[in-house]
Amino acid sequence: MAQNDTTLDREMAKAVAREGGKRMIWWLIGGGFAVAGPFLIIIITSVAGLGLLAGAGHWLASFFGPTPPAIATPTSRPTEWLNPVTTDSEIDQGIPNTIVMAVINQASDGQVYGDRYYCSNGQTTGEACSAAYPPTKAHIGPRGIHILASPGAHNLGIGYGLMGLNGKDITLPANARWHSVLWNLHEGIGQLATYLRSQPYWQTALAAFHATVQTPPGWSGSGNYADTIKGLVGRYNAGPTLGAWALAPWSSKTGQFQDPGNAPAWVFVIGAAPTGAPFSHTWRKPTIIQHYDPQTAKHWTTIQNHILTGYDLASPVLVVGRLKNGQIVTFDLSTQNANIPVWQGGTVFGARIPLSGPQSLISITAYWPRNGLSDTIQWPEQSSGAVSTVNRVPPTHAVQTWWADIQVASQKTGVPADWIAAEMLNESGGSVNAGQNGLAGAYGLMQLEPATARSLPGWYPGARSNPQENLILGAELLEENYSQFGSWRIASAAYYGGANSVQNDGVTPGMPWHVAGPKLASVPVASAGNSLTMEEYADNIEATSQAVATMKNK
């Protein structure tokens, strides 16, 4: 019995040992999986993710690839309507088309359906309304459904169409539509002309037009509307504006317009330049300035007039495109070619051009031959205002008007007459009443600031307001800068940014331009609206002076 028990114990011990071995193996396997499992999951997930990414490349490119260029630029977009605006504003209403274009720019950016939502929080976009006042929500609680409405969450009204006509102020005729281009323009221009004719000052007339015709009753966010329009008029009068776009799909993967089936696509061009009739109108009430000289104990009074001046806008006479193979293609005008797809009433230049291959488009140039102006943009246009390269052949009338006085300033100071003319054209475009610009109060043909003018040899009270003296003062400043640095380009850079800024950028007297230019890479007082570096500004003066010399020799 004892022997049998011993045998049984041995067998049981072996069984326990075998079972323990099996458990140890499974424990080791299970432990291995516990440790390695997360790593296996990461590897499997990564492989699957890479597969999905590879298969969704085009989809992801739509989020991270290059975005399509905007249709034209903010200032050029409204010029599609220049033809009907000119007909309505000049012929029927007798007001400058530049003013109307500025109103359209502010109201709709030139978009037929560019409606503005006027909100109770003073904003003028639907997005701003939504951000300030979230949409109404319903909440189901223990006592039923409750409406959670944001206080004051509503639009007061909508400014419709190109001119931003408000439905609560303007009566819509039975046969008209808010977005009918010709009706909207005619009604808006007629209303604008009424206000401009009925008040002596355009600043108050524009404010009244905006408050009555464009904004709904009770809206209190009008801000500085008249000054906004004045600023836009100044931008239009600064030189040519040009924009282009294609009627073709855009690829975010390649960053190019696509050419379906290698067929030519429509490319459209719009633009304008201030080459039309001049206009001049009192902007606001004249300012009476009292002066007193303690040394002579003399009192005197001067009157400063505030005049808005400029030129009507005109469409290009010729638009051409340059292809990769060197060929030139002419863009037809939509009013002469019925095949060009365009909004009714709109005016564009159009051409069917391949968008890929050796015959694809690389640049577009528009010409205003009467005034010697041209404007070139690269294709495709990638950002608003960044690709335009204006060839500023100066308006002949501006140079001719002031040439005798420019020569006098040259004789008095020794500054080359061509350089004085170039500085004048870049500063004011030859507009005698240009200003007041910015907080510094620059004024006149040479855009002189009060403190700067007072520091010059030829200054006397009222000198800035005299255009001939303004030219002489500007020439004196150029001569002073030239005497310090020994270079006309550096002298103009200092004219733009100040001698201290030039020195702070590391430029020293006698330094040659090829060394000094790259150092002048800063934009002086960018907060005041300056966008050019001092190097770019000086290069503009040099190019313009050469254009002046070329123009005189013709």
Side-chain angles (χ1 to χ4, degrees), residues 315-334:
S315 293
V317 174
L318 174 67
V319 176
V320 299
R322 182 175 295 277
L323 308 182
K324 282 185 178 179
N325 61 7
Q327 292 182 345
I328 300 295
V329 60
T330 301
F331 285 75
D332 292 336
L333 192 59
S334 63

Side-chain angles (χ1 to χ4, degrees), residues 58-82:
H58 289 283
W59 179 75
L60 287 172
S62 66
F63 289 94
F64 302 107
T67 57
I71 297 178
T73 61
T75 49
S76 65
R77 181 67 185 267
T79 61
E80 181 176 352
W81 315 111
L82 187 56

Side-chain angles (χ1 to χ4, degrees), residues 41-98:
I41 293 173
I42 291 173
I43 293 172
I44 293 171
T45 304
S46 299
V47 171
L50 289 172
L52 289 174
L53 288 174
H58 289 283
W59 179 75
L60 287 172
S62 66
F63 289 94
F64 302 107
T67 57
I71 297 178
T73 61
T75 49
S76 65
R77 181 67 185 267
T79 61
E80 181 176 352
W81 315 111
L82 187 56
N83 188 42
V85 163
T86 300
T87 300
D88 225 328
S89 63
E90 291 182 338
I91 298 176
D92 295 341
Q93 306 295 346
I95 59 176
N97 64 19
T98 310

Side-chain angles (χ1 to χ4, degrees), residues 417-438:
D418 294 346
W419 202 271
I420 298 174
E423 196 75 53
M424 177 195 74
L425 289 167
N426 278 268
E427 285 293 329
S428 69
S431 176
V432 64
N433 292 309
Q436 306 273 347
N437 285 341

Side-chain angles (χ1 to χ4, degrees), residues 20-351:
K22 290 180 182 178
R23 289 184 179 182
M24 178 63 71
I25 292 171
W26 283 112
W27 181 85
L28 289 173
I29 293 174
F33 272 112
V35 174
F39 293 99
L40 289 173
I41 293 173
I42 291 173
I43 293 172
I44 293 171
T45 304
S46 299
V47 171
L50 289 172
L52 289 174
L53 288 174
H58 289 283
W59 179 75
L60 287 172
S62 66
F63 289 94
F64 302 107
T67 57
I71 297 178
T73 61
T75 49
S76 65
R77 181 67 185 267
T79 61
E80 181 176 352
W81 315 111
L82 187 56
N83 188 42
V85 163
T86 300
T87 300
D88 225 328
S89 63
E90 291 182 338
I91 298 176
D92 295 341
Q93 306 295 346
I95 59 176
N97 64 19
T98 310
I99 296 289
V100 182
M101 297 304 293
V103 170
I104 293 174
N105 199 332
Q106 191 278 337
S108 65
D109 289 329
Q111 300 181 60
V112 174
Y113 289 92
D115 301 339
R116 283 181 178 267
Y117 291 79
Y118 291 94
C119 313
S120 55
N121 65 336
Q123 300 293 333
T124 56
T125 65
E127 291 80 2
C129 269
S130 299
Y133 302 117
T136 300
K137 296 181 180 180
H139 172 68
I140 301 177
R143 297 184 180 181
I145 298 176
H146 300 275
I147 303 299
L148 303 178
S150 301
H154 63 281
N155 297 329
L156 295 176
I158 302 174
Y160 291 100
L162 294 173
M163 296 289 288
L165 305 180
N166 195 288
K168 295 185 178 181
D169 300 303
I170 304 297
T171 301
L172 184 68
N175 60 345
R177 293 177 293 108
W178 286 114
H179 299 106
S180 169
V181 170
L182 297 181
W183 177 84
N184 194 286
L185 287 175
H186 182 74
E187 178 69 20
I189 293 171
Q191 293 280 351
L192 177 62
T194 298
Y195 282 90
L196 292 178
R197 286 195 296 258
S198 63
Q199 299 197 35
Y201 309 117
W202 276 10
Q203 186 182 55
T204 53
L206 284 166
F209 165 80
H210 180 57
T212 307
V213 175
Q214 292 184 321
T215 66
W219 189 73
S220 59
S222 57
N224 239 352
Y225 176 81
D227 288 338
T228 298
I229 298 301
K230 183 180 180 182
L232 289 168
V233 170
R235 290 177 64 183
Y236 279 119
N237 275 286
T241 178
L242 196 64
W245 71 97
L247 192 64
W250 173 265
S251 170
S252 295
K253 184 177 181 181
T254 63
Q256 297 288 333
F257 286 105
Q258 296 303 290
D259 224 344
N262 293 321
W266 278 109
V267 176
F268 306 113
V269 180
I270 50 179
T275 60
F279 64 84
S280 177
H281 202 285
T282 303
W283 177 249
R284 60 185 174 89
K285 188 176 180 180
T287 302
I288 299 176
I289 306 172
Q290 303 292 340
H291 302 275
Y292 174 70
D293 186 348
Q295 294 182 352
T296 61
K298 289 185 178 180
H299 295 264
W300 69 94
T301 301
T302 60
I303 298 177
Q304 178 184 354
N305 291 311
H306 305 278
I307 309 296
L308 182 66
T309 61
Y311 295 87
D312 271 352
L313 296 173
S315 293
V317 174
L318 174 67
V319 176
V320 299
R322 182 175 295 277
L323 308 182
K324 282 185 178 179
N325 61 7
Q327 292 182 345
I328 300 295
V329 60
T330 301
F331 285 75
D332 292 336
L333 192 59
S334 63
T335 53
Q336 301 169 0
N337 185 347
N339 295 322
I340 299 176
V342 65
W343 285 97
Q344 182 182 5
T347 302
V348 303
F349 293 83

